[in-house]
């Protein structure tokens, strides 16, 4: 569990930094004006030309690799909610770096999310492998 | 805000389903235990050839594209916590498709997280 927790922490830090970069890039790209094919194409082309987007993508790839390791050890109903650790990090960083306001309501929401994550972390069970997990459903 | 929320829900659903597919593939591979580079590379190579992992990666790419659209419209401190909707979806799918046992403590944690998501959503101010 400690190893999984450490990897989740490292992954959320990468994910949070990645999202900050992506949002920084999307501020430069501007809001998607409409859903016409030409508009979508120009939108994604502008995104692909932005260095912040590429830095964000690199960090998201690091996140994905760490996440892959976590998913090899842990049940998804344990690991996925752990991503909420990112919210506390992101709210602090978005406030400090992007100047986004964080009011009392949002702060309360983030606090509840963190409390929920603390409860969840105590519910770790050693996840099974293919041998003892039912894999009969088609998905 | 309605358009933003719709795309966001689509993005979250892709993320949840991608996690289910990836976890199923990695369950077939077994847990990663050896961190030597050669073994890591071999594990990664086996993972990307697994059809569930591959499908999971494809679904997650859809999540990335829709997420970029959301980020062009919304503040990060609003958009990011909305991803917590994924926990509800993942818990259900984990129980239903992967045979995970959901004990009361885990359910309580998910409940708290969900209320937190609701509060965060209420803090949205029209752009």
């Amino acid at each position: 569990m400690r190893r999984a927790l450490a990897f989740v922490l490292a992954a959320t830090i990468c994910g949070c930094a990645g999202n900050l970069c992506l949002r920084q890039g999307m501020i430069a790209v501007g809001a998607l004006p409409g859903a016409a094919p030409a508009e979508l194409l120009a939108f994604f082309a502008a995104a692909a030309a932005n260095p912040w987007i590429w830095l964000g993508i690199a960090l998201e790839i690091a996140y994905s690799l760490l996440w892959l390791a976590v998913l090899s050890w842990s049940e998804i109903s344990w690991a996925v909610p752990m991503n909420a650790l990112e919210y506390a990090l992101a709210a602090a960083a978005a406030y400090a770096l992007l100047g986004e306001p964080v009011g009392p309501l949002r702060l309360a929401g983030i606090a509840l999310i963190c409390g929920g994550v603390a409860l969840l972390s105590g519910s770790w069970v050693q996840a099974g492998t293919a041998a003892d997990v039912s894999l009969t459903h088609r998905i | 805000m309605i358009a933003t929320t719709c795309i966001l829900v689509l993005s979250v659903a892709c993320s949840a389903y991608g996690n289910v597919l990836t976890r199923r593939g990695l369950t077939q591979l077994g847990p990663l235990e050896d961190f030597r580079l050669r073994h890591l590379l071999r594990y990664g190579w086996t993972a990307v050839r697994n059809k569930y992992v591959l499908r999971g990666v494809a679904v997650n790419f859809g999540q990335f594209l829709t997420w970029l659209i959301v980020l062009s419209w919304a503040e990060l401190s609003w958009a990011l916590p909305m991803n917590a909707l994924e926990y509800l979806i993942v818990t259900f799918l984990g129980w239903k498709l992967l045979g995970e046992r959901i004990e009361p403590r885990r359910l309580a944690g998910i409940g708290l997280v969900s209320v937190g998501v609701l509060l965060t959503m209420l803090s949205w101010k029209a752009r």
Side-chain angles (χ1 to χ4, degrees):
Chain A
M1 173 194 159
R2 279 210 191 123
R3 183 176 58 182
L5 209 54
F7 269 65
V8 165
L9 195 62
T12 46
I13 289 170
C14 286
C16 176
N19 271 316
L20 284 168
C21 291
L22 288 178
R23 173 65 178 150
Q24 189 68 39
M26 293 327 276
I27 289 172
V29 169
L32 175 64
E39 285 172 321
L40 279 173
L41 205 64
F43 175 78
F44 284 116
N50 189 296
W52 283 108
I53 297 297
W54 287 106
L55 186 58
I57 288 173
L59 283 162
E60 295 294 341
I61 289 174
Y63 165 85
S64 302
L65 292 178
L66 292 165
W67 187 243
L68 219 56
V70 172
L71 280 190
S72 85
W73 301 319
S74 155
E75 296 191 325
I76 54 171
S77 57
W78 183 88
V80 172
M82 290 307 218
N83 278 308
L85 287 172
E86 185 174 346
Y87 306 146
L89 290 172
Y95 173 75
L97 302 175
L98 301 178
E100 293 186 5
V102 180
L105 200 56
R106 199 173 286 183
L107 209 58
I110 289 164
L112 275 181
I113 289 172
C114 290
V117 167
L119 266 182
L120 277 159
S121 69
S123 74
W124 168 270
V125 289
Q126 201 60 47
T129 50
D132 55 298
V133 173
S134 147
L135 287 175
T136 51
H137 288 283
R138 285 176 59 91
I139 57 175
Chain B
M1 182 189 169
I2 289 173
T4 314
T5 308
C6 286
I7 301 285
L8 190 53
V9 168
L10 183 68
S11 180
V12 168
C14 283
S15 183
Y17 192 53
N19 271 321
V20 170
L21 288 168
T22 309
R23 170 67 184 147
R24 169 122 172 210
L26 290 178
T27 311
Q28 292 175 339
L29 258 69
L32 175 65
E33 298 290 2
D34 190 338
F35 289 92
R36 277 170 300 183
L37 184 64
R38 205 163 54 98
H39 184 87
L40 281 178
L41 290 176
R42 194 180 334 134
Y43 190 89
W45 180 237
T46 319
V48 294
R49 282 181 307 162
N50 181 289
K51 71 171 178 176
Y52 287 113
V53 174
L54 214 57
R55 271 195 258 163
V57 170
V59 171
N60 276 333
F61 189 67
Q63 186 267 337
F64 181 73
L65 293 184
T66 44
W67 180 237
L68 276 188
I69 296 176
V70 171
L71 280 189
S72 83
W73 286 334
E75 284 178 2
L76 193 58
S77 49
W78 177 81
L80 201 57
M82 292 301 293
N83 280 310
L85 281 178
E86 181 183 356
Y87 309 160
L88 303 180
I89 305 173
V90 144
T91 304
F92 179 76
L93 293 180
W95 168 69
K96 200 76 188 157
L97 299 177
L98 300 175
E100 298 185 357
R101 280 177 293 274
I102 312 298
E103 57 148 318
R105 186 157 41 163
R106 192 172 290 181
L107 213 55
I110 290 160
L112 267 190
V113 165
S114 308
V115 177
V117 169
L118 202 67
L119 284 187
T120 313
M121 190 172 182
L122 289 175
S123 79
W124 164 270
K125 294 183 202 72
R127 64 192 172 92

